[in-house]
């Protein structure tokens, strides 16, 4: 810790004496009579050098007060729409599956040609693959939105993510992999929200079983961690600029806060705003000509980002869960 020199305000003439070792914080003032006058400030400084800096504590308290004030403002201004947030979040989470199902139906012949020509699907198997995907995505999406059989609906959509990654040969594509990890995180948040509304029960009587509350904690933890992978993919892709570096640093900080569950609602709200702005300006598929091949890719990225925004909104609504810094602070 660096040495601090405090001047004694009681002394008429002061000359700091270089007597102590580094960090001692001991200062002497030479009064008019030449006697030693202890500096009252130096004593408190001497004791605080071992117990931690008071200024650091003041700074931390100011930061906490500032973030708490922001959270209070967010709570106040979002209060009118809070009853609609869960339904909106669920819709956004599955909107990429609804768009994908619609795209398969409107581009049926192109999808068949790609699977048969490039993925070497036999005739008939390619038709069956597309039909199963369409019905699974529609059924699972409406199940999530309507809260009908949410467990089966979520697992059905998870199966679609894996099947499409294998079927289209995109499972080991880094961008596809990171984006779909975030989509999976949003689906896990749906499961967490579902278990929060169910009573604790055991599957087999007499055997140890994980309760719904514990399941909710685990799914919230996994969902929080997976949701941030989209932003990690954004950091490592594209050309670098000053604005990109700034957004990456700030966004990465918010992602870490979401992952560990520290000020999770505030940081998730910040990511919702950041990703929404990014989505509108970067994935603006509506500005590309309908015949341009880039249009479908931009549309795919746009709706996937909306799904991740939905997962973050659900996190804002239900909180980070038991395995988080925010929850531990309530206990201690």
């Amino acid at each position: 810790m660096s040495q601090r020199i405090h001047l004694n305000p009681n002394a008429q003439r002061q000359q700091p004496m270089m007597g102590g070792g580094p960090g001692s914080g001991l200062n002497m003032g030479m009064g008019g009579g030449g006697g030693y006058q202890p500096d009252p400030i130096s004593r408190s400084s001497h004791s605080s050098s071992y117990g931690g800096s008071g200024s650091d504590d003041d700074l931390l308290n100011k930061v906490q007060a500032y973030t708490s004030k922001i959270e209070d403002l967010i709570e106040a201004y979002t209060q009118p729409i809070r009853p609609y947030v869960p339904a909106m979040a669920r819709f956004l989470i599955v909107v990429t599956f609804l768009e994908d199902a619609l795209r398969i139906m409107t581009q049926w012949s192109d999808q068949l040609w790609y699977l048969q020509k490039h993925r070497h699907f036999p005739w008939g198997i390619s038709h069956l693959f597309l039909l199963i995907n369409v019905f699974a995505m529609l059924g699972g999406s409406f199940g999530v939105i309507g809260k009908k059989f949410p467990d089966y609906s979520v697992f059905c959509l998870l199966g679609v993510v894996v099947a499409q990654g294998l079927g289209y040969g995109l499972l080991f594509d880094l961008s596809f992999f990171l984006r779909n990890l975030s989509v999976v995180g949003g689906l896990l948040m749906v499961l967490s929200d579902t278990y929060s509304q169910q009573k604790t029960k055991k599957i087999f009587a007499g055997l140890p079983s994980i309760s719904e509350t514990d399941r909710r904690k685990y799914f919230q933890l996994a969902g929080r961690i997976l949701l941030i992978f989209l932003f990690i993919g954004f950091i490592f892709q594209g050309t670098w600029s000053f604005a990109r570096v700034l957004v990456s640093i700030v966004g990465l900080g918010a992602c870490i806060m979401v992952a560990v569950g520290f000020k999770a609602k505030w940081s998730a709200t910040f990511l919702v705003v950041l990703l929404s702005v990014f989505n509108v300006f970067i994935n603006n598929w509506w500005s590309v000509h309908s015949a341009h091949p880039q249009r479908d890719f931009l549309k795919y990225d746009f709706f996937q980002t909306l799904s991740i925004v939905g997962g973050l909104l659900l996190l804002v609504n239900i909180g980070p869960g038991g395995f988080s810094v925010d929850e531990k602070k309530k206990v201690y």
Side-chain angles (χ1 to χ4, degrees):
M1 184 177 296
S2 60
Q3 181 181 3
R4 298 184 183 182
I5 297 177
H6 299 285
L7 301 180
N8 184 4
N10 299 321
Q12 297 178 0
R13 298 178 182 178
Q14 302 181 19
Q15 291 181 355
M17 300 191 63
M18 307 301 292
S24 63
L26 184 61
N27 303 278
M28 292 184 291
M30 296 299 295
Y36 168 74
Q37 296 181 355
D39 188 353
I41 302 179
S42 67
R43 292 184 178 181
S44 61
S45 174
H46 179 71
S47 61
S48 65
S49 64
Y50 296 98
S53 174
S55 61
D56 293 341
D57 294 338
D58 292 341
L59 179 61
L60 181 60
N61 292 333
K62 288 180 180 179
V63 171
Q64 290 178 345
Y66 182 72
T67 55
S68 297
K69 187 178 295 185
I70 292 178
E71 288 180 342
D72 293 339
L73 288 175
I74 293 174
E75 290 284 341
Y77 283 104
T78 59
Q79 194 64 34
I81 64 171
R82 284 187 69 87
Y84 309 101
V85 168
M88 186 192 318
R90 286 173 174 265
F91 172 76
L92 289 176
I93 287 172
V94 300
V95 72
T96 186
F97 297 100
L98 294 174
E99 187 275 332
D100 201 19
L102 180 62
R103 179 159 47 86
I104 290 176
M105 290 187 291
T106 55
Q107 300 177 359
W108 183 262
S109 58
D110 294 334
Q111 297 288 329
L112 287 176
W113 178 85
Y114 178 83
L115 291 175
Q116 294 171 6
K117 182 73 173 178
H118 294 278
R119 300 301 299 163
H120 308 294
F121 273 56
W123 190 94
I125 300 297
S126 56
H127 296 71
L128 185 62
F129 177 81
L130 292 178
L131 280 175
I132 292 176
N133 271 272
V134 168
F135 282 112
M137 286 188 289
L138 291 178
S141 297
F142 288 124
V144 167
I145 295 173
K147 299 183 180 181
K148 302 296 183 181
F149 307 106
D151 296 17
Y152 299 107
S153 300
V154 168
F155 286 120
C156 185
L157 295 177
L158 289 175
V160 169
V161 172
V162 177
Q164 288 196 354
L166 293 172
Y168 288 95
L170 298 172
L171 194 60
F172 299 103
D173 180 83
L174 182 60
S175 177
F176 176 87
F177 183 72
L178 293 176
R179 283 179 172 275
N180 278 278
L181 280 181
S182 293
V183 172
V184 170
L187 293 174
L188 292 182
M189 295 303 295
V190 172
L191 280 181
S192 176
D193 183 49
T194 299
Y195 290 134
S196 68
Q197 302 173 16
Q198 295 178 354
K199 296 181 178 179
T200 302
K201 61 182 180 179
K202 290 187 175 182
I203 300 177
F204 299 104
L207 294 177
S209 176
I210 185 171
S211 66
E212 305 294 351
T213 303
D214 292 334
R215 289 186 187 183
R216 178 190 180 189
K217 292 179 181 179
Y218 288 118
F219 282 127
Q220 278 178 296
L221 174 63
R224 288 200 328 260
I225 295 174
L226 292 177
L227 277 172
I228 68 173
F229 277 95
L230 169 70
F231 201 86
I232 294 176
F234 165 76
I235 292 176
F236 293 103
Q237 292 177 355
T239 57
W240 287 99
S241 62
F242 176 77
R244 186 183 183 87
V245 171
L246 182 62
V247 171
S248 298
I249 293 174
V250 176
L252 184 60
C255 287
I256 294 173
M257 292 171 67
V258 167
V260 301
F262 176 68
K263 298 292 182 181
K265 289 188 175 183
W266 180 86
S267 51
T269 303
F270 172 77
L271 286 177
V272 165
V273 176
L274 184 63
L275 287 177
S276 299
V277 173
F278 164 82
N279 206 25
V280 170
F281 286 99
I282 303 299
N283 297 325
N284 51 346
W285 55 271
W286 52 87
S287 64
V288 180
H289 193 272
S290 58
H292 199 286
Q294 189 67 18
R295 181 184 174 93
D296 280 343
F297 290 103
L298 289 174
K299 185 186 292 187
Y300 176 79
D301 290 344
F302 178 84
F303 284 101
Q304 273 211 327
T305 304
L306 282 184
S307 293
I308 297 156
V309 167
L312 290 169
L313 280 177
L314 209 53
L315 172 61
V316 172
N317 184 69
I318 65 179
F323 299 124
S324 63
V325 176
D326 290 344
E327 201 66 24
K328 297 301 180 184
K329 285 169 61 180
K330 295 179 182 178
V331 176
Y332 297 105

